[in-house]
Amino acid sequence: DVKVTQSSRYLVKRTGEKVFLECVQDMDHENMFWYRQDPGLGLRLIYFSYDVKMKEKGDIPEGYSVSREKKERFSLILESASTNQTSMYLCASSLKGDYGYTFGSGTRLTVV
Amino acid sequence: SQQGEEDPQALSIQEGENATMNCSYKTSINNLQWYRQNSGRGLVHLILIRSNEREKHSGRLRVTLDTSKKSSSLLITASRAADTASYFCATDTGRRALTFGSGTRLQVQP
């Protein structure tokens, strides 16, 4: 089975800190995605990547950046964490074409 | 607003009953997908239906797609307590990433 691993299940950071959320997939998927999930808002796309060193902005990229130096790893970076970035962050990967996504277990980030 | 909107927002049924959730969307799609999320966890892919398909089955799941009405439904037959979860529809519009709705919370009472 494809596995998507997010480095932390729970994370507490202080306002202004630089935060790294790591995501690794083990099945050679080309596509990787970062979403955040908030109550009543569903999943919102932050960034996605279709190839190594390639990235595209999603619907809510402000305050975030990403890095994809290797095919299996897609990192989300909060340049200066703010309280409104407290959320559940979900990483996903997929093959190209008509395929479903495989999600990680999520990282619940609290910014205090 | 969301591309996909699920209805109802919450559903509570007894074990053994069928559960039906609906999804409406706004723009044309390549495919529509359904996912399940257990509390506090990641999403699990359930089923994908392409725009040229009208119905698809997988075990106790049945998905229908009506592109003329821009709507889909997910039917879970003979529900079990373990089906308690949130269910999301997601649309592939060729925009290169799925757009998710806000989900339906299903509670199956034992």
Side-chain angles (χ1 to χ4, degrees):
Chain A
D1 279 352
V2 176
K3 194 167 182 182
V4 176
T5 303
Q6 293 184 231
S7 53
S8 305
R9 287 280 288 127
Y10 298 95
L11 212 51
V12 180
K13 295 292 182 181
R14 295 195 179 278
T15 301
E17 276 193 77
K18 190 168 186 175
V19 181
F20 293 85
L21 301 183
E22 305 288 347
C23 176
V24 178
Q25 50 96 3
D26 65 0
M27 281 299 288
D28 206 33
H29 282 181
E30 294 90 354
N31 309 329
M32 296 190 76
F33 310 88
W34 276 106
Y35 289 86
R36 64 177 281 179
Q37 183 179 23
D38 301 286
L41 296 177
L43 278 73
R44 292 180 291 167
L45 180 67
I46 306 172
Y47 267 97
F48 58 101
S49 170
Y50 283 83
D51 203 349
V52 176
K53 297 190 187 293
M54 175 271 174
K55 59 187 178 185
E56 287 200 32
K57 293 180 180 179
D59 298 317
I60 53 163
E62 297 78 19
Y64 302 95
S65 63
V66 289
S67 172
R68 193 165 182 200
E69 296 295 318
K70 293 185 178 181
K71 191 174 186 179
E72 67 270 19
R73 185 179 297 270
F74 192 35
S75 303
L76 180 69
I77 303 152
L78 284 67
E79 297 293 341
S80 177
S82 64
T83 55
N84 63 13
Q85 292 178 311
T86 291
S87 186
M88 169 73 100
Y89 289 88
L90 293 165
C91 176
S93 72
S94 77
L95 291 167
K96 283 184 179 176
D98 279 355
Y99 294 95
Y101 290 4
T102 300
F103 278 85
S105 296
T107 295
R108 188 167 294 280
L109 172 67
T110 302
V111 182
V112 298
Chain B
S1 62
Q2 299 283 344
Q3 156 74 337
E5 297 279 356
E6 289 92 342
D7 172 59
Q9 290 188 336
L11 181 61
S12 182
I13 60 173
Q14 297 294 318
E15 215 168 19
E17 293 180 340
N18 295 343
T20 300
M21 288 158 266
N22 303 297
C23 171
S24 59
Y25 57 92
K26 295 183 172 64
T27 62
S28 62
I29 59 172
N30 294 333
N31 65 67
L32 184 144
Q33 304 178 28
W34 285 90
Y35 290 78
R36 183 187 74 229
Q37 183 181 36
N38 290 93
S39 181
R41 309 295 295 186
L43 280 71
V44 174
H45 180 255
L46 295 176
I47 198 163
L48 181 154
I49 186 164
R50 294 180 173 80
S51 60
N52 60 354
E53 298 175 311
R54 291 296 168 259
E55 188 169 314
K56 207 160 183 182
H57 297 254
S58 177
R60 293 183 296 112
L61 306 180
R62 181 172 78 100
V63 168
T64 61
L65 178 65
D66 187 335
T67 53
S68 66
K69 295 181 179 178
K70 291 187 170 58
S71 68
S72 173
S73 67
L74 170 68
L75 169 68
I76 305 174
T77 59
S79 296
R80 305 166 182 168
D83 295 327
T84 293
S86 291
Y87 292 82
F88 294 85
C89 69
T91 51
D92 178 356
T93 61
R95 181 179 163 268
R96 305 177 73 189
L98 293 179
T99 302
F100 287 82
S102 299
T104 293
R105 292 189 313 279
L106 173 66
Q107 177 76 40
V108 181
Q109 308 283 355

